[in-house]
Structures are given as structure tokens and as C-alpha cells.
């Protein structure tokens, strides 16, 4: 199984996972009979809760829930999100163990098992194997709630199904008579507290002077010479990319000819300055490093994973190829002469340019991003038309937005839109109050040259919706006011989330107006056809 966004789990997360497993192991060690248990004030509640043997399934499914959540985070989120979840789990289980050790309460609520059947046998065996033990707070309840919090916070789909499962897990210790009611009450607030602490710890920033901050104060001359003598760390390359980008956008026709002449004698010819910059960008991309390692060491290995040594060699090879033009004194001389002509220093104050210059920087970064990711980001693949039909999802939008915010680009879709509007107001409509994550689709189409006008994605959907209504009217299908109100709500949902299905009617604004039942009453069997046409024609 390949985890595209989590190929290498960092050492910090491994340590957190091991510490959490140690705390899980210690729970059994600390669950000992207590000769002097704390008195409980809710025994009446405990005895009023009926034993339901079927709750043995969610009781034992807590382990499956943990494993499933970890896999989902690995596949769909960043390593920092995994660190938050593991840190919260470690803190939570440490508090649970502390409670078990210092606050001895003994589970005396277990009734005699008289019924027959599989679940009664399971509960009877559970009672026999586990002595009355310290349960304050109950780890099942705390862990189940923590999983629910993480699932919702990280924005995964089908959350109501997961929350229902989590609720069964939380209630299961009560219904299989494995805990006191007071243990549940004490456990309930702990996961909220632990997750908040973990989030706070993960966002803490160490204020220190880094190599990258030092390099940013260097002139372009210093950066070019540094690369020429072999100083090619990521911070240096990122700063060099920024400096060359400013030079490239101000090139005259004479400058381009001088660069072409300087590179013509190189073998292989690196091409234009823009090609050189794109090569540097690819050289600091993790995917490029892994591909090169696979090319060098894992061609015949199906499930190849590079060692640290192999990955280091691959990175050195990729960086060496990208920096090859700077080994040429003639190329360096031409670039630095162009830089001197423009009298621009490579320092922090140079970043404070006019709005127009800043916009050109942002647009150049965005077009470079599109060019560099034509083969690995679903939205760009789909809109380029290079890989057949590709259905887009809301997760695809989130993915491209996350990638844009990473170095060396570090821009947002809204910044890109505003930059386009500043330099080309005739063809770019202002966003206004129509800000939406789905606007990245319109931006990508415009950057690829697939649309002449850059307009908010909702405007495009509105235009296609109007055409759809007119086509139906021409066929004799006229919609009532109520039907049109629902069609517009469905259209708005598609504009925001790129698709609509029956589950969508369980969300606002549909649920407050009657949900799926109301939709079916209005459109009958045509509802499925309408949803299909919206998903196909409005995007």
C-alpha cells in the first residue's frame, strides 16, 4: 500500500507512537484490585442500566477504530496532523493511567450471566478474565471520544457514520457492565482537554535565526557564487529561485538572446532562464527525489523504498543536474550582468515591491507550479486534458491549495486571483464576496489557457445552470417556484463541493427544508437524473 502524502514517517511521530503504546500496555498493569475503593454515589444509576450483551462488539471495536483512524490520517493528512493526534493520545492515556493508580474505584456493577447465546458467552468470559479493577476514568470512553474529536477536526468524510460508531464505543462499557457511571462522567472532558493541549503544542514556534533567514539577506551575486562552489542546501536554492524569478520577469529581448548564447555551448542545453528556474524547483521536490532514487536503485523492485543513503545520493544527483548551468562562468557572468543592470539586491527589503511587481511574482510562481505538477495533482491533470476524464472531488481542491502554500511557492488561491486582477482587469473579474475553495478550478483553467475570462467558479456554474434550465424549458419541462428554489440550492451545493448525492440532503440548507424526503416529493424519479446531470454539466 502506498501512502502518497506520508511516505516517510518522521522520527518524532514514531517516538510518540511508541510512548502511547507503552501507556496502553501499562493500563493492564495498573488495573489491580483495590482493597479500599473510593465510594461511588451513583450506584443506583449503575444498577438501573440494563446489561446488553450485543454491546460487546463496539466494546472490542475500539482497537479497530484506532487503527482505522491512524491509516486514514496517514493516507489523507500531513505528518503534523498525525503528531497532534498521537500527542493527544499519549497525554490522554497518561492521565488515565494516573487516575487508575491514584483514584481506586472498583467495578462492582457486574450482574450474573443467566442468558444463553454467543454474546452472553462473550460477556461471561470477559467477566471471568478481568478482575474488578480501577476504572476512574474509563479509557474506553476517553479514547472513543478522542477518536471522534480527531475525525471531526481533521475534516474527513462520512463523519456521521464515524460519530455513530464512536457513540456506541463510548456507551459500550456501561452496557456490558465494565465500568461505573462516574467513570464515564470523569472521562468525558479529558479528550477535549488533551486534544486542545496537543494542538497548542504543535503550533508553538521557536524564534531563532535559521540558515534560510541568513541566506535571504544575501545578494543574488552571493547566491550564484555559493551554488557554483557547491553550497546547494535547500535554503540556498529557495532563495536563488526567488532572486532568479525577479530577474526573469524583467528580461528584455536582448537579455534573452544573451542567455541563449551563454547556454548554447552547455551540454545538455538547459534552455531558457525559466527552464533553469523550473529545474531548481523540481530539484527540491520530494517526489522528484523519490523518483530519482527509484530510477537509480529500484528499477526492478516492485515495492521499492529508498534507504537514507540511497535517498541522499538521489537528492545530490537531482540537485547537481539542476545546478549544472551555474558551473559555467559565462552563464554566471550573463546572469549577474543582467542583475547589475537592474540594480536589484537580494535581501528582505527587496520583497517589499510595488503591488504590480508583487502580482507578477505571484503569477509566475503559480504558472511554474502548474507546469511542475501537470502529472501528479488531479485537478491539473483533469483540466489539462492529458489523462482522459478525471472526476474531481472537494479533497482535490484542498490538496492543490495545501501544495500551493508549501515552499517554494507559499501563495494562496486568493493571492493568485488578486494578482491576475491587478495585471489584467479586462479579462479578470474581481472576487468580491464570492470567495470559495472551488475558485482554484477557475484559476487553473485560466493559467492553462483553457478559458479566456477568469471569473468566480460560482459564476461559471450559474451560467451553466441557466443554460440547463433553458434546455429543459425548450423540451417542455417548466419548473415550479418550489422546484426552482430546490434546484438553485442544489446548484449552490455543487458550486461549493463539486458534487451532489442523496447524502447531501442531510446537510444544510436542505435538512432544514425537509431533506431527502422533500426533494423526492418534488422531483420523484427524476431526482437521480437531475443530480447526475448537475454533477456532469455544471462543473
Amino acid at each position: 500500500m502506498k501512502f502518497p502524502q506520508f511516505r516517510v514517517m518522521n522520527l518524532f511521530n514514531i517516538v510518540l507512537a511508541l510512548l502511547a503504546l507503552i501507556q496502553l500496555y501499562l493500563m493492564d498493569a495498573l488495573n489491580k484490585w483495590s482493597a479500599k475503593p473510593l465510594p461511588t454515589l451513583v450506584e443506583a444509576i449503575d444498577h438501573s442500566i440494563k446489561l446488553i450483551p450485543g454491546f460487546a462488539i463496539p466494546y472490542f471495536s475500539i482497537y479497530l477504530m484506532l487503527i482505522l483512524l491512524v491509516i486514514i490520517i496517514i493516507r489523507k493528512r500531513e505528518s503534523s496532523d498525525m503528531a497532534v493526534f498521537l500527542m493527544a493520545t499519549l497525554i490522554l492515556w497518561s492521565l488515565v493511567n494516573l487516575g487508575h493508580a491514584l483514584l481506586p474505584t472498583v467495578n462492582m456493577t457486574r450482574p450474573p450471566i443467566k442468558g444463553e447465546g454467543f454474546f452472553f458467552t462473550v460477556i461471561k468470559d470477559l467477566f471471568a478474565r478481568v478482575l474488578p479493577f480501577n476504572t476512574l476514568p474509563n479509557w474506553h470512553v476517553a479514547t472513543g471520544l478522542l477518536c471522534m474529536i480527531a475525525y471531526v477536526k481533521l475534516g474527513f468524510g462520512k463523519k456521521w457514520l464515524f460519530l455513530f460508531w464512536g457513540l456506541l464505543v463510548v456507551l459500550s462499557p456501561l452496557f456490558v457492565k465494565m465500568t461505573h457511571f462516574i467513570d464515564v462522567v470523569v472521562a468525558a472532558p479529558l479528550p477535549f482537554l488533551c486534544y486542545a493541549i496537543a494542538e497548542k503544542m504543535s503550533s508553538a514556534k521557536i524564534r531563532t535565526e535559521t540558515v534560510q533567514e541568513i541566506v535571504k539577506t544575501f545578494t543574488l551575486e552571493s547566491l550564484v557564487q555559493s551554488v557554483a562552489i557547491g553550497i546547494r542546501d535547500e535554503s540556498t536554492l529557495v532563495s536563488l529561485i526567488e532572486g532568479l524569478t525577479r530577474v526573469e520577469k524583467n528580461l528584455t529581448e536582448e537579455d534573452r538572446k544573451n542567455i541563449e548564447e551563454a547556454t548554447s555551448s552547455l551540454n545538455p542545453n538547459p534552455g531558457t532562464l525559466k527552464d533553469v528556474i523550473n529545474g531548481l524547483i523540481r530539484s527540491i521536490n520530494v517526489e522528484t527525489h523519490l523518483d530519482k532514487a527509484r530510477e537509480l536503485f529500484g528499477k526492478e523492485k516492485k515495492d521499492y523504498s529508498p534507504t537514507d543513503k540511497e535517498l541522499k545520493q538521489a537528492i545530490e544527483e537531482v540537485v547537481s543536474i539542476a545546478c549544472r548551468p551555474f558551473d559555467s562562468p559565462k552563464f554566471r557572468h550573463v546572469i549577474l550582468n543582467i542583475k547589475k543592470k537592474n540594480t536589484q539586491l537580494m535581501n528582505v527589503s527587496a520583497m517589499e515591491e510595488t503591488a504590480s511587481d508583487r502580482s507578477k511574482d505571484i503569477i509566475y510562481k503559480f504558472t511554474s507550479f502548474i507546469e511542475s505538477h501537470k502529472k501528479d495533482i488531479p485537478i491539473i491533470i483533469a483540466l489539462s486534458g492529458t489523462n482522459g476524464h478525471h472526476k474531481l472531488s472537494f479533497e482535490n481542491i484542498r490538496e492543490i491549495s495545501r501544495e500551493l502554500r508549501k515552499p517554494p511557492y507559499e501563495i494562496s488561491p486568493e493571492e493568485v486571483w488578486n494578482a491576475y486582477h491587478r495585471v489584467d482587469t479586462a479579462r479578470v473579474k474581481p472576487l468580491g464576496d464570492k470567495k470559495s475553495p472551488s475558485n482554484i478550478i477557475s484559476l487553473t483553467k485560466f493559467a492553462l489557457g483553457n478559458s479566456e475570462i477568469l471569473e468566480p467558479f460560482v459564476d461559471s456554474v450559474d451560467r451553466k445552470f441557466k443554460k440547463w434550465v433553458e434546455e429543459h424549458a425548450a423540451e417542455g419541462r417548466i419548473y415550479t417556484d418550489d422546484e426552482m428554489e430546490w434546484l438553485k440550492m442544489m446548484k449552490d451545493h455543487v458550486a461549493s463541493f463539486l458534487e451532489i448525492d442523496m447524502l447531501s440532503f442531510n446537510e444544510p440548507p436542505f435538512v432544514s427544508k425537509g431533506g431527502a424526503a422533500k426533494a423526492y416529493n418534488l422531483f420523484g424519479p427524476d431526482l437521480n437524473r437531475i443530480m447526475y446531470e448537475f454533477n456532469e454539466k455544471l462543473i
Side-chain angles (χ1 to χ4, degrees), residues 32-300:
K32 299 297 184 182
W33 175 275
S34 177
K36 296 180 180 180
L38 293 176
T40 61
L41 304 177
V42 290
E43 290 188 3
I45 297 178
D46 292 326
H47 289 293
S48 66
I49 297 174
K50 185 179 179 181
L51 172 69
I52 305 177
F55 268 82
I57 293 178
Y59 183 83
F60 288 109
S61 73
I62 183 67
Y63 302 102
L64 176 62
M65 174 176 280
L66 281 167
I67 294 171
L68 179 62
L69 184 56
V70 167
I71 291 174
I72 294 175
I73 295 175
I74 289 175
R75 294 192 65 179
K76 297 188 176 183
R77 302 296 295 188
E78 306 292 335
S79 58
S80 58
D81 297 312
M82 175 62 78
V84 172
F85 176 67
L86 290 175
M87 179 66 72
T89 303
L90 174 60
I91 297 172
L92 179 65
W93 287 353
S94 300
L95 291 177
V96 169
N97 274 332
L98 184 65
H100 287 189
L102 302 180
L103 303 173
T105 62
V106 181
N107 184 359
M108 303 296 290
T109 65
R110 301 174 185 174
I113 301 297
K114 299 178 181 179
E116 298 295 333
F118 173 76
F119 289 118
F120 284 98
T121 303
V122 171
I123 297 300
K124 186 175 182 180
D125 180 61
L126 182 64
F127 286 1
R129 287 188 294 109
V130 183
L131 292 173
F133 59 89
N134 300 347
T135 60
L136 186 66
N138 183 271
W139 91 274
H140 256 81
V141 174
T143 305
L145 283 172
L146 181 65
C147 290
M148 294 162 69
I149 294 168
Y151 196 89
V152 172
K153 285 267 190 179
L154 296 176
F156 298 131
K158 299 181 180 179
K159 61 183 177 183
W160 295 114
L161 181 62
F162 193 90
L163 292 177
F164 178 70
W165 181 12
L167 181 63
L168 293 180
V169 169
V170 169
L171 296 177
S172 63
L174 287 172
F175 289 112
V176 296
K177 296 292 185 177
M178 291 299 295
T179 191
H180 274 304
F181 182 77
I182 191 66
D183 301 332
V184 176
V185 174
V186 173
L190 292 181
F192 294 92
L193 174 64
C194 294
Y195 202 91
I197 293 174
E199 284 186 315
K200 194 72 174 176
M201 293 174 66
S202 72
S203 64
K205 296 182 179 178
I206 301 176
R207 295 184 176 274
T208 183
E209 188 176 40
T210 64
V211 175
Q212 184 172 359
E213 288 169 341
I214 296 173
V215 171
K216 279 185 177 180
T217 65
F218 289 174
T219 62
L220 181 60
E221 290 86 346
S222 299
L223 292 167
V224 169
Q225 296 302 334
S226 295
V227 171
I229 64 175
I231 301 175
R232 298 174 178 182
D233 57 276
E234 184 174 338
S235 297
T236 300
L237 295 181
V238 169
S239 295
L240 180 60
I241 290 168
E242 292 176 352
L244 292 176
T245 297
R246 282 194 292 275
V247 171
E248 203 279 337
K249 69 180 177 59
N250 291 314
L251 289 179
T252 63
E253 194 60 36
E254 181 184 356
D255 293 335
R256 297 183 194 279
K257 289 180 180 179
N258 290 336
I259 293 174
E260 183 180 349
E261 182 183 347
T263 58
S264 60
S265 60
L266 301 180
N267 186 22
N269 190 327
T272 64
L273 182 57
K274 185 175 182 179
D275 293 330
V276 173
I277 295 171
N278 285 335
L280 291 170
I281 290 174
R282 287 191 291 271
S283 74
I284 58 176
N285 184 281
V286 176
E287 294 291 334
T288 306
H289 300 163
L290 294 173
D291 289 342
K292 176 57 72 172
R294 193 175 294 109
E295 176 188 332
L296 294 175
F297 307 105
K299 288 182 178 179
E300 300 178 358

Side-chain angles (χ1 to χ4, degrees), residues 417 420-422 424-430 446 453-455:
W417 194 291
Y420 272 123
H421 185 252
R422 286 192 200 102
D424 194 354
T425 54
R427 295 197 303 150
V428 181
K429 295 182 179 179
F446 190 73
I453 301 296
L454 178 56
E455 60 182 354

